[in-house]
Amino acid sequence: MDPSSAPDRQLQGLATEEFFYFFLRLRKSEIRRSVQTLRDRYPDEPPEALARRLIAAKTGLSLLGGALLYAPALVPGAGQAIQLLGLVGATSMLTRMHLYLILEIAHLYGRDIDDSARVPEMLAVVAATGLGAAAPMLVKTLGLAPLYSVPAGALSCGAVTQTIGYAAIRYYRHDTAATPDAAAAEVSASI
């Protein structure tokens, strides 16, 4: 089905599009291109198998991003500014990667990624990414050595990627009558 021909199509507003494009560098044409490339490479695989490939690829990136997120804590004498820059940069990258992941999965299942229904789903992903990135802060709170924050960051970010990805598969493979609030609740419940 061509999403542009759907009679009840509710497009995202221009301000929303601009926000995701300029602040999170979200390029929907890249999402469509990567999904088409995946379909071309594995033409006989169903959407769920292709989605699992996306999750596996992004989990590796998420593990690396999570480790880099807390690596500045290992540098003795690294200032608060350097640690904050690392936190902001890695969290931004992880957020963007997770947004691409859910939109790629939505596109695999034939959902219109320009539909306004995707906005609450994307906001739930941003919140989940923030929670995953904050989890290693427990290492400091518990008084453990800073060395543990790197593997904790990697594992928590990897777990969030898997949780987001598999929640997206469950949500998007269901009936199109499912609500965005149900998707947000499912992601929140999975975390």
Side-chain angles (χ1 to χ4, degrees), residues 122-145:
M122 291 188 290
L123 294 176
V125 166
V126 170
T129 302
L131 288 173
M137 291 181 188
L138 289 174
V139 169
K140 185 176 183 178
T141 303
L142 295 172
L144 300 173

PDB file of all heavy atoms in Angstrom, residues 122-145:
ATOM      1  N   MET A 122       8.297   8.344  18.795  1.00  0.00           N
ATOM      2  CA  MET A 122       9.657   8.867  18.827  1.00  0.00           C
ATOM      3  C   MET A 122       9.968   9.500  20.183  1.00  0.00           C
ATOM      4  O   MET A 122      11.090   9.367  20.695  1.00  0.00           O
ATOM      5  CB  MET A 122       9.884   9.850  17.686  1.00  0.00           C
ATOM      6  CG  MET A 122       9.894   9.184  16.313  1.00  0.00           C
ATOM      7  SD  MET A 122      10.389  10.256  14.947  1.00  0.00           S
ATOM      8  CE  MET A 122       9.033  11.383  14.800  1.00  0.00           C
ATOM      9  N   LEU A 123       9.006  10.171  20.772  1.00  0.00           N
ATOM     10  CA  LEU A 123       9.215  10.771  22.088  1.00  0.00           C
ATOM     11  C   LEU A 123       9.443   9.700  23.156  1.00  0.00           C
ATOM     12  O   LEU A 123      10.268   9.881  24.061  1.00  0.00           O
ATOM     13  CB  LEU A 123       8.041  11.672  22.463  1.00  0.00           C
ATOM     14  CG  LEU A 123       7.877  12.925  21.593  1.00  0.00           C
ATOM     15  CD1 LEU A 123       6.622  13.692  21.989  1.00  0.00           C
ATOM     16  CD2 LEU A 123       9.111  13.808  21.673  1.00  0.00           C
ATOM     17  N   ALA A 124       8.737   8.582  23.055  1.00  0.00           N
ATOM     18  CA  ALA A 124       8.954   7.476  23.990  1.00  0.00           C
ATOM     19  C   ALA A 124      10.367   6.920  23.848  1.00  0.00           C
ATOM     20  O   ALA A 124      11.012   6.571  24.843  1.00  0.00           O
ATOM     21  CB  ALA A 124       7.926   6.367  23.749  1.00  0.00           C
ATOM     22  N   VAL A 125      10.873   6.874  22.626  1.00  0.00           N
ATOM     23  CA  VAL A 125      12.236   6.389  22.380  1.00  0.00           C
ATOM     24  C   VAL A 125      13.264   7.344  22.973  1.00  0.00           C
ATOM     25  O   VAL A 125      14.253   6.920  23.563  1.00  0.00           O
ATOM     26  CB  VAL A 125      12.463   6.170  20.875  1.00  0.00           C
ATOM     27  CG1 VAL A 125      13.926   6.012  20.547  1.00  0.00           C
ATOM     28  CG2 VAL A 125      11.682   4.958  20.415  1.00  0.00           C
ATOM     29  N   VAL A 126      13.030   8.639  22.834  1.00  0.00           N
ATOM     30  CA  VAL A 126      13.949   9.625  23.416  1.00  0.00           C
ATOM     31  C   VAL A 126      14.013   9.438  24.935  1.00  0.00           C
ATOM     32  O   VAL A 126      15.097   9.440  25.521  1.00  0.00           O
ATOM     33  CB  VAL A 126      13.521  11.062  23.040  1.00  0.00           C
ATOM     34  CG1 VAL A 126      14.316  12.098  23.818  1.00  0.00           C
ATOM     35  CG2 VAL A 126      13.682  11.291  21.539  1.00  0.00           C
ATOM     36  N   ALA A 127      12.856   9.246  25.567  1.00  0.00           N
ATOM     37  CA  ALA A 127      12.823   9.039  27.016  1.00  0.00           C
ATOM     38  C   ALA A 127      13.540   7.749  27.411  1.00  0.00           C
ATOM     39  O   ALA A 127      14.307   7.729  28.377  1.00  0.00           O
ATOM     40  CB  ALA A 127      11.373   9.013  27.505  1.00  0.00           C
ATOM     41  N   ALA A 128      13.306   6.682  26.674  1.00  0.00           N
ATOM     42  CA  ALA A 128      13.956   5.404  26.975  1.00  0.00           C
ATOM     43  C   ALA A 128      15.468   5.500  26.826  1.00  0.00           C
ATOM     44  O   ALA A 128      16.224   4.945  27.626  1.00  0.00           O
ATOM     45  CB  ALA A 128      13.401   4.305  26.069  1.00  0.00           C
ATOM     46  N   THR A 129      15.914   6.216  25.815  1.00  0.00           N
ATOM     47  CA  THR A 129      17.357   6.389  25.605  1.00  0.00           C
ATOM     48  C   THR A 129      17.973   7.156  26.776  1.00  0.00           C
ATOM     49  O   THR A 129      19.053   6.807  27.257  1.00  0.00           O
ATOM     50  CB  THR A 129      17.635   7.127  24.277  1.00  0.00           C
ATOM     51  OG1 THR A 129      17.051   6.374  23.218  1.00  0.00           O
ATOM     52  CG2 THR A 129      19.115   7.286  24.033  1.00  0.00           C
ATOM     53  N   GLY A 130      17.287   8.180  27.237  1.00  0.00           N
ATOM     54  CA  GLY A 130      17.783   8.947  28.386  1.00  0.00           C
ATOM     55  C   GLY A 130      17.895   8.091  29.631  1.00  0.00           C
ATOM     56  O   GLY A 130      18.877   8.183  30.375  1.00  0.00           O
ATOM     57  N   LEU A 131      16.916   7.234  29.860  1.00  0.00           N
ATOM     58  CA  LEU A 131      16.974   6.346  31.027  1.00  0.00           C
ATOM     59  C   LEU A 131      18.139   5.374  30.919  1.00  0.00           C
ATOM     60  O   LEU A 131      18.839   5.111  31.898  1.00  0.00           O
ATOM     61  CB  LEU A 131      15.660   5.571  31.175  1.00  0.00           C
ATOM     62  CG  LEU A 131      14.458   6.381  31.634  1.00  0.00           C
ATOM     63  CD1 LEU A 131      13.188   5.533  31.571  1.00  0.00           C
ATOM     64  CD2 LEU A 131      14.677   6.913  33.031  1.00  0.00           C
ATOM     65  N   GLY A 132      18.341   4.828  29.730  1.00  0.00           N
ATOM     66  CA  GLY A 132      19.449   3.894  29.532  1.00  0.00           C
ATOM     67  C   GLY A 132      20.802   4.552  29.703  1.00  0.00           C
ATOM     68  O   GLY A 132      21.728   3.980  30.259  1.00  0.00           O
ATOM     69  N   ALA A 133      20.915   5.786  29.238  1.00  0.00           N
ATOM     70  CA  ALA A 133      22.176   6.508  29.355  1.00  0.00           C
ATOM     71  C   ALA A 133      22.451   6.917  30.801  1.00  0.00           C
ATOM     72  O   ALA A 133      23.608   7.049  31.201  1.00  0.00           O
ATOM     73  CB  ALA A 133      22.152   7.744  28.456  1.00  0.00           C
ATOM     74  N   ALA A 134      21.407   7.094  31.576  1.00  0.00           N
ATOM     75  CA  ALA A 134      21.584   7.505  32.968  1.00  0.00           C
ATOM     76  C   ALA A 134      21.862   6.333  33.902  1.00  0.00           C
ATOM     77  O   ALA A 134      22.368   6.543  35.007  1.00  0.00           O
ATOM     78  CB  ALA A 134      20.338   8.246  33.440  1.00  0.00           C
ATOM     79  N   ALA A 135      21.578   5.128  33.481  1.00  0.00           N
ATOM     80  CA  ALA A 135      21.743   3.959  34.360  1.00  0.00           C
ATOM     81  C   ALA A 135      23.144   3.818  34.953  1.00  0.00           C
ATOM     82  O   ALA A 135      23.280   3.517  36.143  1.00  0.00           O
ATOM     83  CB  ALA A 135      21.341   2.690  33.613  1.00  0.00           C
ATOM     84  N   PRO A 136      24.219   4.045  34.191  1.00  0.00           N
ATOM     85  CA  PRO A 136      25.557   3.897  34.772  1.00  0.00           C
ATOM     86  C   PRO A 136      25.883   4.909  35.869  1.00  0.00           C
ATOM     87  O   PRO A 136      26.859   4.746  36.593  1.00  0.00           O
ATOM     88  CB  PRO A 136      26.501   4.072  33.580  1.00  0.00           C
ATOM     89  CG  PRO A 136      25.677   3.703  32.410  1.00  0.00           C
ATOM     90  CD  PRO A 136      24.291   4.169  32.748  1.00  0.00           C
ATOM     91  N   MET A 137      25.083   5.948  35.997  1.00  0.00           N
ATOM     92  CA  MET A 137      25.316   6.902  37.079  1.00  0.00           C
ATOM     93  C   MET A 137      25.128   6.237  38.439  1.00  0.00           C
ATOM     94  O   MET A 137      25.609   6.733  39.447  1.00  0.00           O
ATOM     95  CB  MET A 137      24.409   8.113  36.921  1.00  0.00           C
ATOM     96  CG  MET A 137      24.768   8.962  35.733  1.00  0.00           C
ATOM     97  SD  MET A 137      23.682  10.382  35.622  1.00  0.00           S
ATOM     98  CE  MET A 137      24.182  11.043  34.048  1.00  0.00           C
ATOM     99  N   LEU A 138      24.457   5.098  38.444  1.00  0.00           N
ATOM    100  CA  LEU A 138      24.310   4.337  39.684  1.00  0.00           C
ATOM    101  C   LEU A 138      25.663   3.849  40.190  1.00  0.00           C
ATOM    102  O   LEU A 138      25.845   3.671  41.392  1.00  0.00           O
ATOM    103  CB  LEU A 138      23.376   3.133  39.469  1.00  0.00           C
ATOM    104  CG  LEU A 138      21.909   3.465  39.276  1.00  0.00           C
ATOM    105  CD1 LEU A 138      21.124   2.208  38.922  1.00  0.00           C
ATOM    106  CD2 LEU A 138      21.346   4.115  40.526  1.00  0.00           C
ATOM    107  N   VAL A 139      26.612   3.638  39.282  1.00  0.00           N
ATOM    108  CA  VAL A 139      27.949   3.194  39.675  1.00  0.00           C
ATOM    109  C   VAL A 139      28.558   4.205  40.641  1.00  0.00           C
ATOM    110  O   VAL A 139      29.082   3.841  41.682  1.00  0.00           O
ATOM    111  CB  VAL A 139      28.844   2.989  38.428  1.00  0.00           C
ATOM    112  CG1 VAL A 139      30.295   2.794  38.806  1.00  0.00           C
ATOM    113  CG2 VAL A 139      28.339   1.805  37.608  1.00  0.00           C
ATOM    114  N   LYS A 140      28.461   5.481  40.296  1.00  0.00           N
ATOM    115  CA  LYS A 140      28.992   6.537  41.161  1.00  0.00           C
ATOM    116  C   LYS A 140      28.181   6.633  42.446  1.00  0.00           C
ATOM    117  O   LYS A 140      28.730   6.780  43.530  1.00  0.00           O
ATOM    118  CB  LYS A 140      28.981   7.869  40.414  1.00  0.00           C
ATOM    119  CG  LYS A 140      29.623   8.995  41.168  1.00  0.00           C
ATOM    120  CD  LYS A 140      29.676  10.258  40.340  1.00  0.00           C
ATOM    121  CE  LYS A 140      30.384  11.359  41.092  1.00  0.00           C
ATOM    122  NZ  LYS A 140      30.484  12.583  40.284  1.00  0.00           N
ATOM    123  N   THR A 141      26.863   6.536  42.317  1.00  0.00           N
ATOM    124  CA  THR A 141      25.984   6.624  43.478  1.00  0.00           C
ATOM    125  C   THR A 141      26.263   5.502  44.471  1.00  0.00           C
ATOM    126  O   THR A 141      26.215   5.716  45.684  1.00  0.00           O
ATOM    127  CB  THR A 141      24.508   6.574  43.030  1.00  0.00           C
ATOM    128  OG1 THR A 141      24.278   7.636  42.101  1.00  0.00           O
ATOM    129  CG2 THR A 141      23.557   6.714  44.198  1.00  0.00           C
ATOM    130  N   LEU A 142      26.572   4.324  43.950  1.00  0.00           N
ATOM    131  CA  LEU A 142      26.858   3.179  44.815  1.00  0.00           C
ATOM    132  C   LEU A 142      28.284   3.192  45.356  1.00  0.00           C
ATOM    133  O   LEU A 142      28.664   2.313  46.132  1.00  0.00           O
ATOM    134  CB  LEU A 142      26.596   1.873  44.057  1.00  0.00           C
ATOM    135  CG  LEU A 142      25.137   1.629  43.654  1.00  0.00           C
ATOM    136  CD1 LEU A 142      25.028   0.414  42.747  1.00  0.00           C
ATOM    137  CD2 LEU A 142      24.263   1.481  44.892  1.00  0.00           C
ATOM    138  N   GLY A 143      29.082   4.172  44.928  1.00  0.00           N
ATOM    139  CA  GLY A 143      30.440   4.290  45.420  1.00  0.00           C
ATOM    140  C   GLY A 143      31.412   3.293  44.800  1.00  0.00           C
ATOM    141  O   GLY A 143      32.476   3.039  45.370  1.00  0.00           O
ATOM    142  N   LEU A 144      31.070   2.749  43.642  1.00  0.00           N
ATOM    143  CA  LEU A 144      31.953   1.804  42.971  1.00  0.00           C
ATOM    144  C   LEU A 144      33.019   2.562  42.177  1.00  0.00           C
ATOM    145  O   LEU A 144      32.873   3.740  41.886  1.00  0.00           O
ATOM    146  CB  LEU A 144      31.146   0.904  42.037  1.00  0.00           C
ATOM    147  CG  LEU A 144      30.062   0.055  42.709  1.00  0.00           C
ATOM    148  CD1 LEU A 144      29.224  -0.654  41.668  1.00  0.00           C
ATOM    149  CD2 LEU A 144      30.683  -0.951  43.670  1.00  0.00           C
ATOM    150  N   ALA A 145      34.069   1.857  41.812  1.00  0.00           N
ATOM    151  CA  ALA A 145      35.153   2.463  41.034  1.00  0.00           C
ATOM    152  C   ALA A 145      34.625   2.949  39.687  1.00  0.00           C
ATOM    153  O   ALA A 145      33.775   2.286  39.078  1.00  0.00           O
ATOM    154  CB  ALA A 145      36.271   1.450  40.823  1.00  0.00           C
TER     155      ALA A 145
END
